[in-house]
Amino acid sequence: MDAQALGNEITRVVHTADELAERINQIAKEIDIDYADLDQPLLLVGVLKGAVMVMADLARAVSIPVHMDWMAVSSYGSGTKSSGVVRIIKDLDIDLIGRHVLIVEDILDTGLTLSWLIKNLKSRGPKSIEVMTMLRKPEAVKVEVPTKYLGFDIPNEFVVGFGLDYAEQYRNLDSVAVLSPHVYQG
Ligand code: 5GP
């Protein structure tokens, strides 16, 4: 789905499908170089559901062998605010002992969820653990998360598309766009 199909449900496109694809290809080249000498496939860990698009594109853009696994977590909080208290809804199938792990995320907002996730995965004995996030909101960050690969920094606005939803909608928008306030204010 492209942004035109949404009419006034979005106020503006922050990053087009082409920009997202180009940035993912650049990051994939960096990953190919950084992980060129592994004696095992790199393990990409995607965080459901938002990271589905970036995971699918990144995994296909790299030239090195990868394994892919998924986690689903839910963050306890009031309304839309993340609290950092996280519950695992779906855990990984693959054992992390001795693995090189790259967490693939859609968006880094406060950083609370991701910093919890890194701590959790580190305790499982991986050889290395790094983060790739497609988007980051620098103004919203509460906890610094070491991010090895970053797509784009964006303003502190609620965005949808490229995997990101509002009430499960808009994940299949091919760009990243700011949702019109009238959509969530009713
Ligand atoms: P945090 O970094 O605050 O712990 O939470 C990150 C999660 O909040 C993301 O994985 C995403 O699910 C959600 N989130 C944060 N900002 C946005 C946004 O602008 N749009 C959407 N759709 N979800 C967001």
Side-chain angles (χ1 to χ4, degrees):
M1 172 196 275
D2 67 19
Q4 270 192 339
L6 290 175
N8 69 358
E9 288 173 59
I10 55 171
T11 55
R12 71 194 164 87
V13 170
V14 183
H15 288 291
T16 63
D18 286 346
E19 287 167 358
L20 296 167
E22 192 185 332
R23 187 72 193 109
I24 287 176
N25 284 333
Q26 289 168 350
I27 291 171
K29 288 199 178 90
E30 288 177 43
I31 290 172
D32 283 342
I33 294 167
D34 294 346
Y35 292 97
D37 298 326
L38 294 195
D39 54 0
Q40 52 172 280
L42 175 65
L43 177 58
L44 301 179
V45 170
V47 185
L48 294 169
K49 304 171 188 171
V52 165
M53 305 300 178
V54 52
M55 179 77 145
D57 286 355
L58 183 70
R60 286 178 295 177
V62 293
S63 300
I64 57 166
V66 298
H67 289 172
M68 295 156 77
D69 204 353
W70 300 92
M71 262 184 107
V73 296
S74 102
S75 178
Y76 290 108
S78 53
T80 55
K81 294 224 170 76
S82 177
S83 66
V85 182
V86 176
R87 186 164 59 106
I88 295 176
I89 310 284
K90 186 227 167 283
D91 208 341
L92 298 172
D93 298 322
I94 298 175
D95 193 337
L96 295 194
I97 292 173
R99 298 300 303 261
H100 291 281
V101 175
L102 179 62
I103 300 174
V104 179
E105 253 290 29
D106 47 3
I107 190 164
L108 187 55
D109 189 20
T110 62
L112 289 167
T113 306
L114 204 44
S115 71
W116 180 92
L117 194 60
I118 293 169
K119 211 183 285 175
N120 182 287
L121 298 189
K122 264 189 182 160
S123 72
R124 305 183 192 195
K127 226 178 209 168
S128 71
I129 183 153
E130 301 288 354
V131 172
M132 183 272 174
T133 184
M134 194 65 226
L135 304 168
R136 180 175 64 182
K137 295 181 186 171
E139 294 154 53
V141 170
K142 284 190 188 157
V143 187
E144 286 301 329
V145 175
T147 303
K148 185 155 183 176
Y149 307 102
L150 168 68
F152 298 105
D153 275 331
I154 61 167
N156 195 6
E157 295 170 288
F158 191 81
V159 292
V160 294
F162 203 61
L164 289 166
D165 75 314
Y166 172 67
E168 293 301 329
Q169 271 202 77
Y170 309 111
R171 290 193 196 277
N172 64 328
L173 174 63
D174 63 7
S175 54
V176 171
V178 177
L179 193 63
S180 300
H182 74 82
V183 175
Y184 49 87
Q185 283 165 0

